[in-house]
Amino acid sequence: MTERPRGRRLTTSIAFAFMALAALILPAAPAHAAYGPDQSVYLQLTANDGTGMPLALLQGTVAFDDSNTKYRYSVSICWQSGAYPQPSAVLWVNGSSGSYPVWTGSSSAAGCQQVALYSSEVNFGGAVYNLRFDLTAGWFNRTNGQYMSRTKSTGTYDNPFN
């Protein structure tokens, strides 16, 4: 058997000692919560005055993390030609905590005056059981010119982790 030089053994031993010490001293990286599958969000809002005029289209995705305290969303609202002013949305968490979604920009698409983009990752600070979007738009009735508005809700998107 050939013997390794004494200096090389000492260097190897010191290197292993430093790695063991580093493993004890340096904190492990925190575990990151994993998101469940994206759930599709879709809501077409039309005038309810008998004309069926399209007002706004909300579509995108939501997802929940496995810690039950965070969620993320990415949705767009197409401002369709019949609506005035621009449609708006409210995001409801657990049916009682409402907030406006975070605007991240705008875009364009066929059939839309404008497309508003919204997305965020939210640490709610408590258990998140479900999400819902309310979409509101107004319009002028073509028969009598009266201004009208309507709010419609998406279904409830349940957190699969609780």
Side-chain angles (χ1 to χ4, degrees):
M1 259 173 59
T2 60
E3 190 175 317
R4 287 197 284 184
R6 185 175 191 176
R8 189 174 204 183
R9 281 186 289 167
L10 182 59
T11 304
T12 303
S13 296
I14 291 171
F16 279 122
F18 275 120
M19 287 190 309
L21 184 60
L24 291 173
I25 294 174
L26 296 175
H32 293 283
Y35 277 94
D38 285 339
Q39 298 181 43
S40 293
V41 174
Y42 183 88
L43 176 62
Q44 173 66 62
L45 182 62
T46 57
N48 59 355
D49 60 0
T51 63
M53 178 174 39
L55 303 171
L57 173 64
L58 179 132
Q59 55 188 347
T61 60
V62 297
F64 301 88
D65 83 333
D66 60 3
S67 72
N68 286 325
T69 60
K70 289 173 62 177
Y71 61 90
R72 69 179 182 210
Y73 61 87
S74 179
V75 297
S76 64
I77 299 176
C78 167
W79 178 3
Q80 295 173 316
S81 62
Y84 180 81
Q86 182 174 359
S88 64
V90 175
L91 173 61
W92 293 93
V93 180
N94 300 336
S96 61
S97 181
S99 63
Y100 292 106
V102 177
W103 182 80
T104 55
S106 59
S107 181
S108 60
C112 304
Q113 293 185 57
Q114 180 182 11
V115 178
L117 307 172
Y118 303 90
S119 67
S120 186
E121 180 177 54
V122 180
N123 187 347
F124 186 64
V128 177
Y129 299 105
N130 57 57
L131 299 175
R132 181 189 89 223
F133 289 90
D134 286 356
L135 183 60
T136 301
W139 73 99
F140 287 97
N141 183 299
R142 292 181 178 168
T143 308
N144 60 16
Q146 180 181 359
Y147 183 78
M148 305 177 80
S149 69
R150 179 176 187 199
T151 299
K152 188 175 177 183
S153 300
T154 63
T156 301
Y157 302 94
D158 290 325
N159 185 343
F161 297 110
N162 58 32

